[in-house]
Amino acid sequence: MLASQKTGTAKLEHISSILADLKADLSAPKFSIQRTSPFRAPRVDAQLITRTERQQLLEQLKVYGRSVDNADPIFTQDGIRILGQCAFEGETTAASQEALRCLANALLLVPRTRPILVDLGHGMHASDMLKGDNIDNEFLLSRLLFLMTYDTTLDYPLLVQSHGLATNINAAIARHAGRYTLQARQPAREHTQPMDLMALSETLKLLFNITHFHPALISHFSSSIPHLFTILMCRGVTKPPLEAPASFIVNALLNLDLDNSNPQSSTAAEIKPADVANPVFPSASPTANTTHLINLLSASLTSYPDTELDATVAPLLTLIRRIYEIAPADVKKSMEQQMLPTPAERDKPLGKSDTLSSRLLNLTTNALTPTLRGSISSMFFELSHKDPATFVQNVGYGFASGFLMSNNIAMPDEVARAHEEQPSASDSQRVPFPVNPVTGQRLDKEEVMEQTPMTHEEKEREAERLFVLFERLKATGVMDVVNPVEQAYREGRIQELNNDEDDDDD
């Protein structure tokens, strides 16, 4: 049972007292045998504190360590050494897990404690302990190893090669994926406890950082690719769509070698033989994963405000683009059909309907999504086989022009084909009718603006108004302009009519 929480100097003194008790207990012999008589059985001295008492002390320390105020002894080298001994020496107990929680808080709140833990050799211990299937240990150890990717010199290649870190991470992800099945879902076996999802999230964050900071290790995690897609697929489209662990799965997949062609990988052939299907495009349903990712994208665009889209949706869009680049022809065709405007959408100007392609097109002009808008334009260009004419045909020159100009891509003469029947990226996007090359709308569906012709008097008034405007502009001296009426008069292109001729015209 926790003692009453102290503050200020009392808290500082209590922390020092707890650490002193723990240090004394760790330093004392675990047992000693004394014989007071050759005829009596040996007596075993009791421990200074019991396991339960140690757990309670560490739990109290954990609560104190949630705030750095008056908690300095925890974050010293001696404090981290004591916690490290409690956490990593001996078997896993409730007390050792409390020590891990204390360390996790310390490394999160006070970055200078991270190299201390590494220098004490506990990075290797954490990697070794990750081998077990204890969900609390997975959460705590993954978090420690994740935090140690910052501000330390921990040798992660050594942990992978000699301490089974990649093997342990892959095994943990496989265990999580084992809770799911694509055939007949059994919700009772899936992630039903918050700690399960938290542990998976921490493992995925660790995987992302390792592959980000150490690209040479990417190939060691290829076996996790099918398991990551299994979890993502079986969890479906949640609300919100990219809540944890979905966002962490997307980020992890971004760094992995999805086509198994990492030039730095010396074991690519061993990891994936040539006759084994790419797990991104499973042989049973090659388009299943890409379709789910596109569904996630569609749901995400309507679930988050514009101000959050860059941070939440941009990684997902990047993953979709990466997969499209390596996809076989039939999968590419499926992705084009799902994301490019269809002929049915061209009854209106592109971007005016409530479809995924329209929402994406509108985001290309959204000032609140600078990262996403560039990525979307690039994706549409890629979906158009990087052909400018097809690109304009697919999205309209109004949406295409900015991308083409900013990337210094010349507009080819073939753009004239926009008024003719021309092939698009796929059969479903084939446009067998004339369209407006700017808006992408069918010409026969455009609204005809019926206007009454201007009368002679209205034409005269408009000419006078323009004459006055040009004279005022000329008088400002800001720019040298010539009144077109004056120029026409000098060139003899204006003829003054007498009243009789004027009446005849009327």
Side-chain angles (χ1 to χ4, degrees), residues 20-58:
D21 289 344
L22 291 171
K23 185 175 183 178
D25 182 56
L26 292 168
S27 302
K30 298 305 177 187
F31 61 87
S32 61
I33 300 177
Q34 298 181 0
R35 286 185 180 272
T36 57
S37 167
F39 304 104
R40 293 184 181 179
R43 177 170 60 85
V44 179
D45 287 345
Q47 289 180 296
L48 294 178
I49 56 177
T50 65
R51 284 187 176 182
T52 301
E53 290 171 336
R54 177 185 286 193
Q55 177 186 347
Q56 291 173 347
L57 290 175
L58 288 166

Side-chain angles (χ1 to χ4, degrees), residues 335-355:
M335 297 175 73
E336 292 161 6
Q337 291 172 345
Q338 294 177 76
M339 290 191 288
L340 287 173
T342 63
E345 293 181 60
R346 297 181 183 271
D347 288 351
K348 301 177 181 179
L350 295 180
K352 299 298 183 182
S353 57
D354 186 24
T355 62

Side-chain angles (χ1 to χ4, degrees), residues 35-86:
R35 286 185 180 272
T36 57
S37 167
F39 304 104
R40 293 184 181 179
R43 177 170 60 85
V44 179
D45 287 345
Q47 289 180 296
L48 294 178
I49 56 177
T50 65
R51 284 187 176 182
T52 301
E53 290 171 336
R54 177 185 286 193
Q55 177 186 347
Q56 291 173 347
L57 290 175
L58 288 166
E59 189 174 354
Q60 182 72 66
L61 208 59
K62 175 190 68 178
V63 175
Y64 280 142
R66 289 171 180 165
S67 170
V68 297
D69 296 333
N70 298 294
D72 294 342
I74 296 176
F75 311 119
T76 63
Q77 185 165 357
D78 196 43
I80 298 300
R81 179 184 291 106
I82 293 170
L83 292 173
Q85 287 181 274
C86 293

Side-chain angles (χ1 to χ4, degrees), residues 18 37 46 51 56 77 115 126 153 164 174 211-212 218 224 226 230 234 238 309 332 355 397 435 449 478:
I18 292 174
S37 167
R51 284 187 176 182
Q56 291 173 347
Q77 185 165 357
T153 57
T211 53
H212 176 73
I218 288 175
S224 286
T230 295
C234 290
T238 58
L309 289 178
K332 283 187 175 181
T355 62
Y397 187 72
V435 298
M449 303 297 293
V478 174

Side-chain angles (χ1 to χ4, degrees), residues 200-219:
L200 174 59
S201 296
E202 292 300 322
T203 300
L204 294 172
K205 287 160 59 179
L206 172 60
L207 170 59
F208 175 84
N209 269 23
I210 292 175
T211 53
H212 176 73
F213 293 120
H214 305 279
L217 300 178
I218 288 175
S219 63

